[in-house]
Structures are given as C-alpha cells and as structure tokens.
Amino acid sequence: MPETPLNLVSRRALLTGTLATTALALAACTSNSGTASSASPAASASSTPVPRTLRLAAAAPPVKFDPAIVADNESFRVTRQVYETLIDINPDTGGAVAGLAEAWTESPDGLRYTFTLRQGVLFHDGTELNAKAVVANFNRWENLSATLRADSTQGFTDVFHFGSDIPKLPTVKDLEKEFQGVEGPTEAELAAQQLRLKQLEELATQYKTDLFEGKSKDGTASYFESVKATDTYLVTLNLRRRLPGLIEALTLPGMAIAAPSALTGGPKENPAQSLSTKPVGTGPYTFVSNKDGVVRLEIFKDYWNQSRLAENKTHPEVALISSVPSPYNREGALLADEIDGFDMVSVDTMRTLVRNAKVVVQRDPFSVLYLGMDQRNKWLAKPEFRMAIAHAVNRTSLAEKLFLQGSKNASTLLPSALSIPAPEETPNHDTTKAKTLLADLGYNGEEIEFAYPLRVSRNYLPLPERTFAQIADDLAAAGIRVKPRPIAWTDGYVQTVQSKDFNGLHLLGFSGGYRSADDFLSGILSSKENEFGYTSPLLDSQVMLARSIPAGEAQTAAYADILTTLNADLPVLPLVFPISALAFNGNVTFYPPSPMLNECYADVQMTNSPSISS
C-alpha cells in the first residue's frame, strides 16, 4: 500500500463556549480514537430507550441519493453516510487510506491497479461485497447515458475523463489570427501571443509521443480501459495512460459502491433509478426515509467496521437531516434546541453563536468562489473589459466583510494547499485602471446581466445576495452597470448559468473532493464552453498532459503554466478561498470537520439531544 501522503491541511476548530468547548477540543486532539463522556440516553414514560439522535440542519435539500449522477454537496452529505468507496480519506492528513479495498498495488508502468477487497462486508440488503459487485458498479458507470453523466462532477466520467477527446493543437497561424485586430495588436497582446507560441512549441513536443494506448469505448482521451473480477475479492483495473492521481480520485463520493441488486429494474435510460430515492450501500447508516423535508438515517447493525463503532460509544444511532435555507433560521433553530447543529455558519450569525456559548467548528479552506464571465456577451468578449472587471472587484474587502475570519482573497482557482504558484502578474484592485480600460473601449454603461442564487448557502458562498451586492457596488464605482438576475437555487440556478442561453456574469464556486489541481481545473472548466463561452485547445492540451505527470516539480510547473494561460484569457475571475463552519449545541462533543466534506456521522461524539423523546 502506498505511503500516507504528507499533511494536506491541518484540521482546525474555532471553538466557543464553556465545558462543551473543552470537551470538543480534547476530542479533536485525539481524532477518532477517543471517546467522550456522555449522559445516559433519555427515556420515555414507557422506559423505551431513546436512540442518540443527531439533528442537523443543512442549507439546501438533497437533489437525489445516487452519488454517481448527482453533483451537489447536500446530496453527498447523505450519501457519504450510506455508501463507501474503494479508497477512503485519512481524516488527519487528507491522504488516501484503505476503504472497501483493504490493499492495492500499481504496476510499474502505472497502467494496472489491483485491489484486494475486504471480506465480510455486507450491503444494506444483506448481500456480500465481492469483486463482481464492484465490477457491476463500474459497468454501470461506463454505460451511463450522456444526459446522466452531465449531472455528475465527482464521479467516474470526471475521474477517468471518460467522454474526453484528445484536443487538436492549434497552429501558429491560428494563434496569430487571435491578435489580428483592425489597428494591430497592443503591446500586451503581443506579449500574450509570444507566451502562447512558446507554450505551443512545448506542447507539440509532447504530442509526438503515443498519448494513449489501446481502444476506448468513449473518447480518445479516456483513461479507462477495462475492469475485471480476477478472483472473488480481487479487482483489476486497466488504464490507457498513466493517471497518477487515481487512488485519491477513487475517494470521490461519486465513486461509491452500490448494492448490485439496486443497479437493475429501472427504465432503460437508468436501470438504477431506485438509487435516486432509496440508496443501498455498505456504509455505517442505512437510509430510512425522506419525508417532509427531513432525511432519516439509522445505524446499520451489521456494519463491517464494528471496531469503529465500539471505539466511539457515543456515535449517533439516528441522524435527522433537514433543509433550512436561511442562515438566520438555522441559527434560531439551534438556539431553540430544535436542532443539535447546522452547517454554513455566516459572519452575521457568528456573533450570536459566540454570545450564546455555542460550539463552532471550522473547516480549512478547500473551495473557491469565482465570478464567471461569458464571452458570448458583446462586452465580456473583449479581454480589456474582463480585465477591467478584475481590477474593479475588491476581492480582499469581499473576503474580509462577508466571509469567516481566515478566508482569503483568491488570485487563482487553486487553493494554497495545492502549492501551485500563482502567475507573476495577476490583476489587483485598481478602480482607476478599470476606468481607463473602459474608456479606451468606448463603453458607455450598457447593462450586463448578473445572475446570483437565492435561498441557499454554499460553503463557497454563505451570503449570496450580499456578495452580489458588494461586487455590483465595486463594478458601479468603475462605471460598469449590471442588471440583477436572482434565481432560486432550487429553481435550477446552476443549470441556468451553465447553459448556452445565459450570457452574462454569474457567481458560482467549486469544492475540492481530493488533493488534486486537476480536480479543481477539470471540475470548473468541464462546461466552460456553455458557462463562460470559452474554448481553448491550447488550454485543453495543457490540462490533459499535466494530469498524466507524476507529482513533483514537473507537475507543479505544468499546472503553473495552466494558471498563466487562465490569467491571460481570464474566462473566470477567482474571488475568495472561504472558510466554512458548523455550529452545535453542547450535546455534540466532537465533530470530524473535513476540508473535502468527507464527514461521517459514525465519528461524531454526543450525548443525547435533551429535547428528544421517543
């Protein structure tokens, strides 16, 4: 088994409160191995024991419970309790550790992985996990329709880039045409042209090799070749090209292994349709119901990892997850003891939580908020106009005013934890420079549509309305007029801004699923043609080649070049690397915060909720 990687990000907790704070701090120091003292479970009048119940409020309802065809973190919040993956995430380092696969080996050429599965693992339907069950899941993912694939950004298609084709490198003449304006290229454009020509020369050298081996069922740049059950508990996975980040990518929630019995019986376009409403996995919790906006999960009595439960005798036996979009309503429910905790603490609610001695647990930043700029818009098509926007927005002020303390302004799309250096010159806040660029373009204040979500909090965007307002004020100060377009999150906000029908500015973000620059870049740029009106074979080639380079100086340099390209093309403006947080009452004495949001309730430590009765 590979060595455990170095620490990705430290696990930090900002703690407020009295004795509950101290208990949580002690538990955090011992990770998941310790136990916390607890009160005896409450009993009803009939002396029926009341199960330890975690009542958690989320910021939005889950979309569906099939992690292979969903992309939202509220759905993953539930599916991470019900399903498990071949590889798990170390809660202390963020690195890869054994999951359903207890061990694995990699061939010297990096094209074959062999996974040894745990024995005695049961799905919630009582069937046993074996190699055929794993292969059945891979076969299902491989045969998903294009429509279903499009609904996932943290699953098979994105891990293996299954539907991707090898980009066609542009010619020197193609690059020169980009800068052939009526009045000739500016000095800045000439510099950008020289940079692209240099990048093209380097890429052309790499393209002379055979990029991929063997045949592909879907996409010439697909890394996936085949998967086989080579023994009862042995799975062999074959690749068409080395994919150094594969093991950590297998921790993504979309790579969860579902019970084979649930993969059939549905309509032709989605035989596993039942998983959308009734998930069946091997995880510590079974799905019971989703009624009246509350998801109910109960501990799985036959869970394979009984030692995990035994070492934490105060884990929740029941989890109730409700949807409360307003951060103020979530706070009110916590103060009234209607819930035990909630996610997405905002700067507005923090003061009240501290004053009332609540426990606040924060995650290290591993997400990015960005401003999308669609180049199909008349003005956004102009590089100088996009640069004017970049100079107009005060990202430092945004991070300090509307995000939790410790959040940082973002100069690139990649968090500092990935250690990829930013380009030497990134646009800073300079309203005067923005005004000069706009004047040179002859912009006279035409409105640019600006979409932002309503009735939701995301870990990268806790206060969307106020974030929009501050950015709109910054743009107005430079002379840029916007036309607000608020869209409720549950009314298809993401689908709208990532469609070809919307051609303005928009707020969106991305949460990293594992330690990988490719995860961020591929996730954000997967729909760049529709979301940003942006195409670049040069960038596509850079990204494809970078993901195949083993970790080290060469890979770091490759991703630094990609950031340089994005900094020059500026299809998207990085805004903030936010810190997100959860708040709890004192009955929750330990919660396992994860930058990747891989938070299993079996590791939560708690006394019972004082207001719960049977």
Side-chain angles (χ1 to χ4, degrees), residues 129-338:
L129 170 77
N130 55 29
K132 289 183 178 179
V134 172
V135 171
N137 278 268
F138 271 87
N139 289 342
R140 183 239 173 163
W141 299 331
E142 185 182 6
N143 291 288
L144 285 173
S145 68
T147 301
L148 291 177
R149 284 188 211 165
D151 292 335
S152 171
T153 58
Q154 295 197 44
F156 176 86
T157 301
D158 293 88
V159 168
F160 295 98
H161 302 275
F162 189 61
S164 301
D165 288 319
I166 299 174
K168 182 180 179 181
L169 282 180
T171 65
V172 172
K173 289 185 178 180
D174 290 334
L175 294 182
E176 290 175 345
K177 286 180 182 178
E178 292 183 21
F179 302 94
Q180 289 179 358
V182 176
E183 300 177 357
T186 64
E187 183 176 337
E189 288 174 332
L190 284 173
Q193 180 181 358
Q194 290 302 314
L195 173 63
R196 282 173 169 76
L197 290 174
K198 180 182 178 182
Q199 291 174 331
L200 177 60
E201 183 180 357
E202 294 173 350
L203 292 173
T205 301
Q206 299 178 67
Y207 262 65
K208 292 179 181 178
T209 64
D210 292 330
L211 297 177
F212 290 85
E213 298 183 5
K215 295 181 180 180
S216 169
K217 181 175 179 179
D218 194 297
T220 55
S222 167
Y223 287 75
F224 179 79
E225 181 177 281
S226 64
V227 63
K228 296 179 180 178
T230 45
D231 205 338
T232 305
Y233 301 104
L234 214 60
V235 176
T236 299
L237 174 64
N238 297 301
L239 303 180
R240 300 179 60 233
R241 181 174 169 85
R242 181 186 291 272
L243 188 57
L246 174 64
I247 292 300
E248 289 186 327
L250 293 178
T251 66
L252 287 173
M255 298 301 296
I257 304 299
S261 63
L263 302 182
T264 60
K268 182 179 180 180
E269 60 271 17
N270 184 14
Q273 190 174 65
S274 64
L275 289 177
S276 294
T277 54
K278 296 179 181 179
V280 185
T282 62
Y285 291 89
T286 60
F287 175 85
V288 177
S289 63
N290 180 23
K291 296 180 180 179
D292 301 321
V294 179
V295 175
R296 182 182 179 92
L297 307 175
E298 295 181 1
I299 202 73
F300 180 37
K301 301 299 183 184
D302 294 322
Y303 181 50
W304 64 271
N305 195 352
Q306 288 295 310
S307 62
R308 181 182 196 177
L309 303 180
E311 289 173 2
N312 177 20
K313 298 183 184 300
T314 61
H315 61 265
E317 297 165 297
V318 173
L320 303 175
I321 307 168
S322 56
S323 170
V324 183
S326 167
Y328 312 106
N329 289 347
R330 292 197 295 275
E331 177 193 61
L334 184 69
L335 296 177
D337 274 334
E338 295 171 355

Side-chain angles (χ1 to χ4, degrees), residues 59-117:
V63 175
K64 61 184 71 170
F65 302 120
D66 184 352
I69 57 171
V70 76
D72 74 297
N73 286 320
E74 299 306 343
S75 295
F76 293 148
R77 186 190 301 277
V78 176
T79 64
R80 287 184 188 275
Q81 318 306 321
V82 177
Y83 299 98
E84 293 174 304
T85 48
L86 290 176
I87 310 298
D88 202 358
I89 297 176
N90 184 305
D92 295 310
T93 68
V97 294
L100 292 178
E102 62 182 6
W104 63 90
T105 59
E106 178 185 354
S107 63
D109 62 3
L111 298 182
R112 185 176 67 257
Y113 287 81
T114 303
F115 299 92
T116 302
L117 302 181

Side-chain angles (χ1 to χ4, degrees), residues 392-393 431 450 466-480 482:
V393 178
T431 303
F450 191 160
R466 290 180 58 188
T467 301
F468 158 77
Q470 182 162 327
I471 294 175
D473 285 345
D474 287 345
L475 296 177
I480 300 173
V482 300

Side-chain angles (χ1 to χ4, degrees), residues 33 42 68 85 107 185 266-267 364 459 461 474 530:
S33 60
T85 48
S107 63
D364 286 301
N459 60 317
L461 186 57
D474 287 345
N530 283 334

Side-chain angles (χ1 to χ4, degrees), residues 6-12 90-95 363-366 415-418 515 594-596:
L6 296 176
N7 187 28
L8 167 64
V9 279
S10 63
R11 297 177 62 207
R12 300 181 300 172
N90 184 305
D92 295 310
T93 68
R363 306 180 181 96
D364 286 301
F366 205 58
S416 60
L418 296 176
R515 185 177 58 181
S594 166
M596 291 89 164

Side-chain angles (χ1 to χ4, degrees), residues 561-612:
D561 284 342
I562 291 170
L563 295 183
T564 299
T565 299
L566 287 171
N567 189 55
D569 293 355
L570 205 62
V572 53
L573 179 65
L575 295 174
V576 179
F577 295 129
I579 283 179
S580 63
L582 310 96
F584 296 97
N585 279 327
N587 58 300
V588 176
T589 55
F590 174 78
Y591 186 89
S594 166
M596 291 89 164
L597 307 180
N598 184 41
E599 299 163 350
C600 181
Y601 300 157
D603 299 324
V604 172
Q605 298 173 9
M606 65 181 301
T607 61
N608 209 359
S609 303
S611 58
I612 284 189

